[in-house]
Amino acid sequence: MRYGAVEAVHGISFGAEPGQVTALIGANGAGKSSTLAAISGLVPASGRIRFEGRDIAGKPPHEIVRAGIVQVPEGREILGRMTVEENLLLGLRGRDRSGIASAYERFPILDERRALLAGTLSGGEQQMLAIARALLAEPRLLLLDEPSLGLAPLVVARVFEALADLRRQGVTMLLVEQNALRALRLADQAYVMDLGRIVMTGTGDALLHDEGVARTYLGVT
Ligand SMILES: Nc1ncnc2c1ncn2[C@@H]1O[C@H](COP(=O)(O)OP(=O)(O)OP(=O)(O)O)[C@@H](O)[C@H]1O
Ligand SMILES: [Mg+2]
């Protein structure tokens, strides 16, 4: 992947298995968001991107969404002056309203807040709203870019509890995170990116207990 003359991601190769959480971790500028952008069709990339046996590289974003890959945007893109329910209704895009009920079932906190302006929700609640809205499209692969960004530790814990619930429900996720500890605890399989390359891979558990990973990404000395 390149931005003009600058190559940002260099020949990476990885996969995400159905029903699992796959995590991409790594420092600022490692190429994590760029990788998601390539999968979503937002930035061109060379090489192959295969989803359920189909080559999706080079397809426009709306076709990739239709194929079943939905990304929760970094920064959430919640419409603050609309209510929680209105934000969810926008995510339906013509699908029947029963999805809204299942969103409230998954995220009871959103049910409690359904009539409030979304802008008045806490950061963690807004993140859950963004995830709930993405799930209304019934994705077969959910892409998440830094769901913990800018949240207080307690709120981060709550967001990751919600992701663990989704994992139990069988939602397939590709998760990009700088919070390596949380990501590795949740992940079935994880990949460490550095300077546009994948430098290490293993189960979340194996990487959690890897000394090099602990020193570089978990702040363990
Ligand atoms: N729109 C862009 N134009 C030019 N260069 C870009 C653009 N977006 C990203 N880059 C560069 O590509 C590289 C990878 O960036 P990317 O945002 O994918 O990293 P990241 O791993 O998501 O980092 P972070 O953890 O800070 O979000 C960086 O060197 C970055 O400066
Ligand atoms: Mg990023």
Side-chain angles (χ1 to χ4, degrees):
M1 287 190 60
R2 46 176 63 251
Y3 298 101
V6 180
E7 192 175 280
V9 177
H10 324 286
I12 63 170
S13 179
F14 71 101
E17 296 298 321
Q20 294 196 350
V21 175
T22 304
L24 291 182
I25 63 168
N28 286 120
K32 307 180 299 297
S33 295
S34 298
T35 301
L36 290 192
I39 297 170
S40 291
L42 300 170
V43 182
S46 59
R48 283 206 310 175
I49 306 173
R50 288 170 66 81
F51 181 62
E52 297 182 334
R54 282 177 55 199
D55 200 341
I56 58 164
K59 297 241 186 293
H62 67 271
E63 272 187 44
I64 289 173
V65 170
R66 212 180 309 134
I69 301 179
V70 176
Q71 179 163 355
V72 181
E74 191 180 12
R76 290 145 212 168
E77 293 179 13
I78 293 302
L79 300 170
R81 304 181 69 148
M82 297 178 80
T83 66
V84 167
E85 181 133 321
E86 285 163 348
N87 271 274
L88 289 175
L89 286 169
L90 282 174
L92 277 182
R93 292 169 208 244
R95 280 182 204 80
D96 84 84
R97 287 181 71 125
S98 65
I100 303 282
S102 63
Y104 288 145
E105 232 165 81
R106 267 188 175 129
F107 300 99
I109 192 75
L110 298 180
D111 195 3
E112 284 172 35
R113 309 268 194 273
R114 65 208 281 174
L116 292 183
L117 294 183
T120 67
L121 299 184
S122 72
E125 290 163 354
Q126 289 189 19
Q127 183 63 63
M128 290 188 207
L129 177 56
I131 295 169
R133 194 180 49 187
L135 287 170
L136 290 173
E138 298 175 3
R140 286 197 305 287
L141 174 63
L142 185 69
L143 308 180
L144 297 126
D145 196 347
E146 310 260 8
S148 75
L149 194 73
L151 302 179
L154 208 65
V155 184
V156 171
R158 227 169 283 139
V159 168
F160 271 85
E161 275 164 30
L163 296 181
D165 279 341
L166 295 181
R167 180 176 171 275
R168 279 188 284 274
Q169 292 160 22
V171 177
T172 306
M173 290 178 263
L174 176 57
L175 168 70
V176 157
E177 258 300 337
Q178 276 201 50
N179 189 328
L181 181 64
R182 290 280 175 193
L184 292 179
R185 278 185 186 156
L186 179 69
D188 295 281
Q189 189 71 24
Y191 297 84
V192 181
M193 285 191 78
D194 187 38
L195 299 174
R197 292 196 162 77
I198 288 174
V199 294
M200 203 186 292
T201 181
T203 63
D205 205 46
L207 292 189
L208 261 183
H209 295 98
D210 181 274
E211 247 178 62
V213 170
R215 219 178 306 118
T216 312
Y217 299 103
L218 305 178
V220 179
T221 50

